[in-house]
Amino acid sequence: MKTNQVMIRQMGVFQVEQRTKDGFFDGASLLRQWNGVDGNPRRRMSEFLESPKVKYFMDALAEDESHRRKTDIAVNQLLTASKGKLTKNGRTPDKMWFNPILFIKFAMWINPRFEVQVIRFVYDRMIEFRNEAGDAYKELASAVQKIVQPNFMKVAMKKVGEALNWIIFNRHEKALRNKHGDEKQMQSLFDLERETAMLINKGFIKDFKSLVTYLRDEYKRRNTPSVFLPENIKEAIA
């Protein structure tokens, strides 16, 4: 499931924005944060883009992407700029969306000390799991539809969505999965949705009450410190 959401992710002390649709990163946001730290040498986007080495790299990347995708990819498709919009709260920031591989080079140009962290950061599978979790959520909704009345379906899925957030993130807010998370959390969300749908489809969860009980038990199992589990409390006071 590929919707054009923007994921806020942590990269060291900075937050970076990544589109889930194509994996592109907002380099302008990272640059603003870097330049906003006292003592950091000031960097300019134009210095990066006008560098002969960067231009050569972008040509090579466009050629490689074309071979990999089996369709022509132009250099200007690796980097897209969008102007901020005027809103009642002021003008939104300008964006500069980088192809993920180009973003690695950009981030390391800003600060070579990022090298290892940036490579690990960009190549985790969080976006992949996030999209898969979206597909699994549809499967879960189809399964829930089998055990609730049609007029209760909207309420049921709202409650299920809240429960999933509490189980995986230990909190709830609207569109939480699109705002924060990491690879492990996205994989856990995907696994939980698929597992729950399977239990419904196989008849182990027969109604909404038993679904709520199952999700409540999952929350306790995943988020209750082991020292407070009943069996450990018995051992502690024995």
Side-chain angles (χ1 to χ4, degrees):
M1 176 180 158
K2 293 189 177 182
T3 56
N4 194 17
Q5 303 288 342
V6 175
M7 180 80 75
I8 307 298
R9 302 178 58 189
Q10 201 71 29
M11 189 178 77
V13 297
F14 301 118
Q15 290 185 331
V16 296
E17 298 180 16
Q18 184 180 22
R19 295 192 305 212
T20 60
K21 183 177 182 179
D22 55 14
F24 276 38
F25 290 87
D26 179 17
S29 173
L30 176 60
L31 186 61
R32 281 191 295 270
Q33 292 176 72
W34 170 263
N35 286 335
V37 175
D38 289 340
N40 282 351
R42 187 170 181 80
R43 297 291 194 175
R44 298 183 184 276
M45 183 73 71
S46 59
E47 294 175 357
F48 175 77
L49 297 178
E50 293 170 7
S51 164
K53 289 184 178 180
V54 172
K55 291 180 179 179
Y56 180 80
F57 178 85
M58 291 177 69
D59 287 338
L61 178 57
E63 181 179 355
D64 184 75
E65 289 282 284
S66 297
H67 286 307
R68 188 174 64 88
R69 302 187 196 182
K70 302 189 185 307
T71 185
D72 288 338
I73 302 296
V75 169
N76 60 12
Q77 292 176 268
L78 303 175
L79 185 68
T80 59
S82 60
K83 287 288 186 182
K85 298 178 180 179
L86 190 61
T87 70
K88 63 180 181 181
N89 297 319
R91 191 173 186 84
T92 61
D94 294 343
K95 302 289 186 182
M96 185 70 78
W97 295 104
F98 281 74
N99 169 285
I101 294 176
L102 183 60
F103 179 78
I104 295 176
K105 190 170 186 67
F106 175 67
M108 290 189 293
W109 171 81
I110 291 177
N111 179 7
R113 289 176 298 173
F114 284 167
E115 188 164 356
V116 173
Q117 292 89 337
V118 170
I119 291 173
R120 290 186 185 279
F121 167 81
V122 174
Y123 275 93
D124 73 25
R125 296 181 63 201
M126 187 185 67
I127 294 298
E128 178 183 345
F129 282 124
R130 185 265 176 195
N131 290 329
E132 288 180 344
D135 290 333
Y137 187 79
K138 287 184 176 181
E139 293 180 23
L140 177 57
S142 295
V144 171
Q145 199 169 23
K146 299 176 182 178
I147 60 172
V148 302
Q149 295 296 320
N151 60 357
F152 185 64
M153 183 62 185
K154 185 176 181 179
V155 174
M157 288 310 299
K158 180 181 179 181
K159 292 181 178 295
V160 167
E162 291 177 3
L164 294 174
N165 281 343
W166 279 107
I167 292 169
I168 301 301
F169 305 105
N170 202 21
R171 63 193 181 95
H172 171 68
E173 63 181 80
K174 187 177 180 180
L176 181 59
R177 71 177 67 187
N178 297 330
K179 298 178 180 178
H180 298 281
D182 57 29
E183 179 183 356
K184 185 177 180 180
Q185 287 176 318
M186 290 299 107
Q187 183 176 8
S188 295
L189 179 61
F190 168 71
D191 290 340
L192 176 61
E193 290 172 344
R194 291 292 298 272
E195 179 182 279
T196 306
M198 180 195 69
L199 291 173
I200 295 172
N201 290 329
K202 289 185 175 294
F204 294 104
I205 296 177
K206 300 179 182 298
D207 52 42
F208 188 69
K209 183 178 179 180
S210 57
L211 173 59
V212 170
T213 298
Y214 170 74
L215 294 174
R216 185 178 290 121
D217 289 344
E218 278 296 300
Y219 173 80
K220 292 177 181 177
R221 183 176 70 83
R222 297 175 187 232
N223 295 290
T224 302
S226 59
V227 68
F228 294 122
L229 293 176
E231 58 271 22
N232 292 334
I233 291 176
K234 291 178 181 178
E235 291 178 4
I237 63 177

